[in-house]
Amino acid sequence: MNIRVAPENLNEAAKQAISVAVVGATGAVGVEIRECLEKSGLNLSTVRLLASKRSAGQRVPFAGGELVIEELTDNSFQGIDYALFSAGSGISKAFGPKAVAAGAVVIDNSSAFRMDEAIPLVVPEVNLDVIPAQPGIIANPNCVAIIATVPLAPLNARHTIRRVNIATYQAASGAGAAAMEELRLSTAAYLAGEHYAPKVLKHPYAFNVFSHNADVNPQTGYNGEEEKVIEETRKIMRRPDLHISITCVRVPVLRAHSMAVTVEFDEVVSPDEVRAILRDAPGVRIVDDIEANHFPMPNEASGQGDVLVGRIRRDVGDPSGRSIALFLAGDQLLKGAALNAVQILQRLVG
Amino acid sequence: MNIRVAPENLNEAAKQAISVAVVGATGAVGVEIRECLEKSGLNLSTVRLLASKRSAGQRVPFAGGELVIEELTDNSFQGIDYALFSAGSGISKAFGPKAVAAGAVVIDNSSAFRMDEAIPLVVPEVNLDVIPAQPGIIANPNCVAIIATVPLAPLNARHTIRRVNIATYQAASGAGAAAMEELRLSTAAYLAGEHYAPKVLKHPYAFNVFSHNADVNPQTGYNGEEEKVIEETRKIMRRPDLHISITCVRVPVLRAHSMAVTVEFDEVVSPDEVRAILRDAPGVRIVDDIEANHFPMPNEASGQGDVLVGRIRRDVGDPSGRSIALFLAGDQLLKGAALNAVQILQRLVG
């Protein structure tokens, strides 16, 4: 699970009881946030699980006991120290400021505030220092931006990256629990020779691949997901000048994102040096066994918190020798969302 | 199906009866070759279907009648004008020269002769002119190289391409019929909550993505599939100097390959001009509907012969403005193998 602060190592501050609210507690990410909180070692005096009226009253297991889902209202944040939002931009915009006004620190998994200059956009391994002493809202980045920056930032810290090119292999989970279910149901229908009309996503998902479902900007040809990754990667890495291009593609995988990445440095850097830097990088696990043909795969990235990195080689297509090719995989629901948010919480407390 | 020469348009030569042998007639590609031959409009006096002893005697439908699979032997090519091989490099090396000695022209789908300087490596839309007047063996390229060069070659003919970067989304079919069945069976087992031990491929395939199964060269870090695409693309496009890099990845798709491609030209070329060139390019169909979020997908590429091209946009990661990003999809079994071979046959005859 890679919750970085093991209970026995928590300092005294972290042992202080805190009250936490989870907004969107029944969604794909909300379920993972609950599980990350259980495993976090944090001393939780209150865990308030908030969702829409429809889910209110539902009972869910938590830490050996049971919690009741409550309806999200203006009064939900009384007495809450930290509120983790994962219910879409609209909810975050409407209720995030209210949670802050009620005295909570908000860790927001939506895109609502990410590009707001006043809001820190945080990957704990990369830029924890941007969180101010008295934080209000802290934004949790886009899943692809998190998974990409965990290995890219330590490389950039040693050798300036000039340009990045990414092609993604994105899982259904990024489109929510309903999309994951659509992938399962449509695949079962396909195997049974039955017709399945897509309900959640626009295109057939069974044994199919399609360009990411976010709207495409007709001016640039880039879709909203690609624009987020480009902007957020620059902000997280504090490299507004970084040249970055990306093609975001959905593949029929349930919950981990993979990506083929080409990194061009300002100077020649050897694959061995890249490997050495990444070996020491927090949150990175090198999976690069040429003999066994064993490289990062979404099935092995799922359910754990590291970003797997492999296929580390000199890009033979760059005549300057300054480019390195990589293949990554990371759990979209964990490091790409819930785990990153809970790791931010741990750092705030601990 | 995109068999380019419609029966009514065949010239007199094409109406001449020819005798054709198919080696590997029961494999994933062999089945498609039979179907392409049926639809080719060619006047086939003899169709001899050859396979291993194990398959001999099997009866298969052909053109309204039935044919019996025969065992491949040294005498299989007596009286054969054209032999289409698709049974692996070993069989091609052992029997290809025998077929030529018996007077047949060989169209070989294996990698056995592709990089032999004396052997033409042909994509009909691109380099038909490399076939000599009295051909012996003609090599059918790697599936990714075919699908990539159909749009890249006409672009390169107008504006010199300096560099190409590709990330593939490759289907099971490239690893054969058994791999396609493993994808179906392992996915059904996954959905049923049952364990499935991979038999054909090294890694679990259900809802998973993995680096291509070809062996990886420990010197370069590139796998055999990637090396083939690099070398063959240069040969087909007659651009030995082309800078090209590729990451080959298998995705859980049955029979069509997709790829994210970045093309760097020697000069600035607009997306509109790329679109205009590709609109007139043989074998290309533009699928680039930004409003409907409708771009090339393997499910729509399957069962037809065009290479679908979309996501045509200026690569925002290249500060020089000389790079264009594309997304392609093409049927691996048809244009990537069987159809390309039968199109070569049509051009030889017609």
Side-chain angles (χ1 to χ4, degrees):
Chain A
M1 190 51 101
N2 204 32
I3 292 279
R4 305 215 152 271
V5 185
E8 61 275 20
N9 296 331
L10 284 176
N11 64 23
E12 287 311 305
K15 289 177 186 161
Q16 299 301 310
I18 56 169
S19 58
V20 174
V22 179
V23 180
T26 57
V29 174
V31 170
E32 303 291 332
I33 289 176
R34 278 151 44 190
E35 211 173 299
C36 287
L37 284 174
E38 287 180 308
K39 295 178 179 169
S40 68
L42 291 166
N43 184 357
L44 306 167
S45 61
T46 302
V47 174
R48 192 172 291 162
L49 302 183
L50 302 163
S52 66
K53 196 170 183 173
R54 208 168 29 124
S55 301
Q58 207 177 299
R59 307 176 81 84
V60 296
F62 188 87
E66 225 180 31
L67 290 174
V68 181
I69 306 284
E70 297 174 42
E71 184 187 352
L72 172 65
T73 70
D74 286 355
N75 302 318
S76 293
F77 303 99
Q78 295 304 324
I80 291 295
D81 299 319
Y82 299 96
L84 282 67
F85 277 69
S86 190
S89 283
I91 296 288
S92 290
K93 282 179 187 155
F95 290 90
K98 290 175 183 170
V100 172
V105 175
V106 168
I107 302 171
D108 180 32
N109 193 48
S110 84
S111 62
F113 306 106
R114 287 178 189 156
M115 293 310 297
D116 185 326
E117 278 184 31
I119 302 285
L121 181 67
V122 177
V123 178
E125 292 88 340
V126 177
N127 63 342
L128 204 62
D129 57 302
V130 297
I131 301 178
Q134 304 290 332
I137 295 173
I138 298 168
N140 207 41
N142 168 281
C143 45
V144 172
I146 295 175
I147 293 167
T149 53
V150 167
L152 290 181
L155 292 172
N156 183 61
R158 292 279 286 276
H159 299 282
T160 304
I161 294 176
R162 187 170 172 274
R163 183 177 170 189
V164 176
N165 186 42
I166 303 177
T168 71
Y169 302 71
Q170 288 181 244
S173 58
M180 296 171 78
E181 186 63 5
E182 177 148 301
L183 174 55
R184 284 190 207 94
L185 292 175
S186 60
T187 304
Y190 185 103
L191 290 169
E194 291 160 9
H195 177 72
Y196 182 94
K199 293 162 191 71
V200 181
L201 293 162
K202 206 165 226 163
H203 302 294
Y205 208 166
F207 302 112
N208 197 28
V209 156
F210 49 87
S211 184
H212 192 280
N213 44 290
D215 285 349
V216 179
N217 180 335
Q219 300 307 312
T220 64
Y222 281 77
N223 64 45
E225 177 83 352
E226 293 162 349
E227 288 174 344
K228 281 182 198 170
V229 178
I230 292 170
E231 291 173 351
E232 294 182 25
T233 298
R234 287 176 177 151
K235 179 169 175 177
I236 297 163
M237 291 176 65
R238 285 171 275 205
R239 285 289 313 278
D241 59 326
L242 186 67
H243 299 296
I244 173 166
S245 184
I246 181 164
T247 301
C248 285
V249 178
R250 285 233 190 265
V251 294
V253 163
L254 287 161
R255 61 176 284 165
H257 287 354
S258 307
M259 47 196 96
V261 182
T262 307
V263 185
E264 181 185 329
F265 294 96
D266 256 353
E267 60 195 320
V268 173
V269 180
S270 73
D272 279 346
E273 191 182 349
V274 166
R275 206 169 281 116
I277 295 168
L278 293 176
R279 199 170 286 125
D280 294 335
V284 169
R285 179 150 52 93
I286 293 180
V287 179
D288 204 18
D289 186 341
I290 283 178
E291 203 157 315
N293 208 316
H294 185 191
F295 302 108
M297 297 188 286
N299 73 327
E300 293 186 350
S302 293
Q304 60 80 53
D306 284 326
V307 175
L308 314 185
V309 184
R311 300 293 326 265
I312 302 169
R313 62 203 194 277
R314 189 176 305 286
D315 173 13
V316 294
D318 181 354
S320 77
R322 291 187 276 104
S323 293
I324 295 286
L326 306 169
F327 196 74
L328 317 179
D331 189 311
Q332 187 272 328
L333 291 174
L334 288 176
K335 187 57 192 170
L339 177 63
N340 197 69
V342 173
Q343 286 172 335
I344 293 171
L345 173 61
Q346 288 182 309
R347 303 304 182 103
L348 289 175
V349 175
Chain B
M1 191 51 99
N2 203 32
I3 291 279
R4 308 215 150 267
V5 184
E8 60 276 20
N9 296 331
L10 282 177
N11 63 24
E12 287 311 306
K15 288 177 187 161
Q16 300 300 310
I18 56 169
S19 58
V20 174
V22 180
V23 180
T26 56
V29 174
V31 171
E32 303 291 332
I33 289 177
R34 278 151 44 190
E35 211 172 301
C36 287
L37 284 174
E38 287 181 307
K39 295 177 178 169
S40 67
L42 291 166
N43 183 357
L44 305 168
S45 60
T46 303
V47 174
R48 192 172 292 162
L49 303 183
L50 302 164
S52 66
K53 195 168 184 175
R54 209 167 30 124
S55 300
Q58 207 177 298
R59 309 176 81 83
V60 296
F62 189 89
E66 224 180 32
L67 290 174
V68 181
I69 305 285
E70 298 174 40
E71 184 187 354
L72 171 65
T73 69
D74 286 355
N75 302 318
S76 293
F77 304 99
Q78 295 302 325
I80 292 295
D81 299 319
Y82 299 95
L84 282 68
F85 276 69
S86 191
S89 283
I91 296 289
S92 291
K93 281 179 188 157
F95 289 90
K98 289 175 184 172
V100 172
V105 174
V106 168
I107 303 171
D108 181 31
N109 193 48
S110 83
S111 63
F113 306 106
R114 288 178 188 156
M115 293 311 297
D116 184 326
E117 278 184 29
I119 303 284
L121 182 67
V122 177
V123 178
E125 292 88 340
V126 177
N127 64 341
L128 203 62
D129 57 302
V130 296
I131 302 178
Q134 305 289 333
I137 295 172
I138 298 168
N140 207 41
N142 167 281
C143 45
V144 173
I146 295 175
I147 293 167
T149 53
V150 167
L152 291 182
L155 292 173
N156 183 60
R158 293 280 284 277
H159 299 281
T160 304
I161 295 176
R162 187 171 172 274
R163 183 175 169 189
V164 176
N165 186 41
I166 304 176
T168 70
Y169 302 70
Q170 289 181 243
S173 58
M180 295 171 77
E181 186 63 5
E182 177 147 303
L183 175 55
R184 285 190 206 93
L185 293 175
S186 61
T187 305
Y190 185 103
L191 290 169
E194 290 160 9
H195 178 71
Y196 182 93
K199 292 162 191 71
V200 181
L201 293 162
K202 206 165 225 162
H203 302 293
Y205 207 167
F207 303 112
N208 197 28
V209 156
F210 48 89
S211 184
H212 192 281
N213 42 291
D215 285 347
V216 179
N217 180 335
Q219 300 307 313
T220 64
Y222 281 78
N223 64 45
E225 178 83 351
E226 293 162 350
E227 288 174 344
K228 281 182 198 171
V229 178
I230 293 170
E231 291 173 350
E232 295 182 25
T233 298
R234 287 175 177 152
K235 180 169 175 177
I236 296 163
M237 291 176 65
R238 284 171 275 204
R239 285 288 314 278
D241 58 326
L242 186 67
H243 299 296
I244 174 165
S245 185
I246 181 164
T247 301
C248 286
V249 178
R250 286 233 189 264
V251 295
V253 163
L254 286 162
R255 62 176 282 164
H257 288 353
S258 307
M259 46 196 99
V261 182
T262 308
V263 185
E264 182 186 328
F265 294 97
D266 256 354
E267 60 195 321
V268 173
V269 180
S270 74
D272 279 346
E273 191 183 349
V274 166
R275 206 170 279 115
I277 295 169
L278 293 178
R279 199 171 285 125
D280 294 333
V284 169
R285 178 149 53 93
I286 293 180
V287 180
D288 204 18
D289 186 341
I290 282 177
E291 203 157 316
N293 208 316
H294 184 192
F295 303 108
M297 296 188 286
N299 73 327
E300 293 186 350
S302 293
Q304 60 82 53
D306 284 327
V307 175
L308 314 184
V309 184
R311 300 294 324 270
I312 302 169
R313 62 202 193 278
R314 189 176 305 287
D315 173 12
V316 294
D318 181 355
S320 78
R322 291 187 276 106
S323 292
I324 295 286
L326 307 169
F327 196 74
L328 317 179
D331 189 311
Q332 187 273 327
L333 292 174
L334 288 177
K335 187 58 192 170
L339 177 62
N340 197 70
V342 174
Q343 286 172 336
I344 293 171
L345 173 61
Q346 288 183 309
R347 302 303 181 103
L348 289 175
V349 175

